[in-house]
Amino acid sequence: MRTFILFFVFIGLISQDKAVFNNHDQDTEYRTLVFADEFEYEGRPNNQKWHHQIIPPNNGSWYNDELQHYTDSEENSYTNNGTLKIRAIKEKYSYHGSTKEYTSARLNSKFIFTYGRVEVRAKLPSTAGTWPAIWTMGANVNETGNYFGDQYGEVGWPLSGEIDIMEQTGWDKNKTISHFHWGDLKTKEYRNTGGEATVPNASNEYHIYAMEWDSESIKTYVDDTLVFDLQNTKDKPYNHGHYLILNIAIGGNLGGELPETFTEDIFEIDYVRIYQ
């Protein structure tokens, strides 16, 4: 999600970390619930658990040629009827002299974890041009406007490591993507790899998008289907704390072309749970 210009480079890397699709036997080691939001309240997202990242880090814009500003407005993120809604809207909005034609929300968890199981039960937006994501970033990234700042380091991206548990392009609403971006700890070179799953009813039915992460591997799932299994070797930055991010981007590298008739769409999240 952070930078997807080189998305298709992963094809040449799949030989080392295979995309596989089979049934998942629930791993019983992740039993302790360490972070959760069931969204059984009304109004703004719980500010004890969530931070709105709103400062554009790329000269007044976000990376990936995205078209939106992120805001902390209740118009863009709110809870009711037991779910969180992240709402992308066509509206002119200015932030510190930078004007965009769309708004959305990007939520950072105020919780850092190393290893465990993440579950997010969600329905995805259906409109072409929308790019929803459930992902993590290394807490040492020190990205502009994130909640933790340089508290855990400032190695930057991609050396911080990024885990895209779920992304969906703006042009294929029948599939989702799991992807990994990192900087090689030995060579400092950028690396990425990942896979995809077929989810034809992602917009009108809830699915559980999950990750299981330990010192040996990181596995991503849609419901009980394994999407990708990454070997967690010592050259990868996946043995330190990460935080969770939820957002919808508009347009950009994975959003693609937005129809002129677009007015709004919603990424609806029933719950977020992290187990260790």
Side-chain angles (χ1 to χ4, degrees), residues 126-184:
S126 61
T127 308
T130 58
W131 175 4
I134 301 165
W135 51 302
T136 76
M137 188 82 83
N140 58 357
V141 66
N142 193 26
E143 185 176 53
T144 299
N146 82 345
Y147 178 66
F148 297 101
D150 64 359
Q151 181 179 351
Y152 294 93
E154 48 185 340
V155 302
W157 186 94
L159 286 173
S160 59
E162 174 182 331
I163 303 169
D164 298 326
I165 299 170
M166 186 287 302
E167 296 186 282
Q168 187 187 62
T169 70
W171 56 86
D172 190 346
K173 295 304 184 181
N174 294 313
K175 292 181 180 177
T176 62
I177 296 165
S178 289
H179 212 85
F180 299 82
H181 303 264
W182 71 94
D184 188 295

Side-chain angles (χ1 to χ4, degrees), residues 215-233:
S215 61
E216 296 182 354
S217 69
I218 309 172
K219 299 180 178 72
T220 58
Y221 301 89
V222 177
D223 298 321
D224 289 329
T225 298
L226 179 63
V227 180
F228 202 80
D229 184 352
L230 181 79
Q231 298 173 23
N232 192 9
T233 49

Side-chain angles (χ1 to χ4, degrees), residues 99-119:
T99 300
K100 304 293 183 183
E101 300 298 322
Y102 305 91
T103 61
S104 185
R106 172 173 168 139
L107 303 183
N108 298 183
S109 71
K110 295 183 177 181
F111 177 77
I112 290 176
F113 65 104
T114 305
Y115 308 146
R117 176 177 169 88
V118 177
E119 292 183 4

Side-chain angles (χ1 to χ4, degrees), residues 234-273:
K234 291 184 178 180
D235 59 329
K236 299 184 180 76
Y238 295 123
N239 295 301
H240 64 266
H242 278 229
Y243 59 93
L244 186 67
I245 305 171
L246 308 171
N247 71 289
I248 310 176
I250 298 296
N253 297 336
L254 281 190
E257 186 174 351
L258 193 68
E260 292 184 3
T261 56
F262 176 84
T263 56
E264 66 176 78
D265 209 339
I266 288 176
F267 180 16
E268 187 169 1
I269 299 155
D270 183 34
Y271 62 73
V272 173
R273 298 170 185 168

Side-chain angles (χ1 to χ4, degrees), residues 35 58 90 138 194 239:
F35 176 86
N58 189 26
K90 184 176 182 178
N239 295 301

Side-chain angles (χ1 to χ4, degrees), residues 1-5 53 55-68 70 100 106 131 135 137 141-144 157 162 249-254:
M1 182 64 189
R2 169 62 167 74
T3 301
F4 233 103
I5 295 173
Q53 190 174 357
I55 304 173
N58 189 26
N59 297 317
S61 297
W62 292 85
Y63 296 106
N64 313 306
D65 298 322
E66 297 165 24
L67 302 178
Q68 81 291 323
Y70 292 120
K100 304 293 183 183
R106 172 173 168 139
W131 175 4
W135 51 302
M137 188 82 83
V141 66
N142 193 26
E143 185 176 53
T144 299
W157 186 94
E162 174 182 331
I250 298 296
N253 297 336
L254 281 190

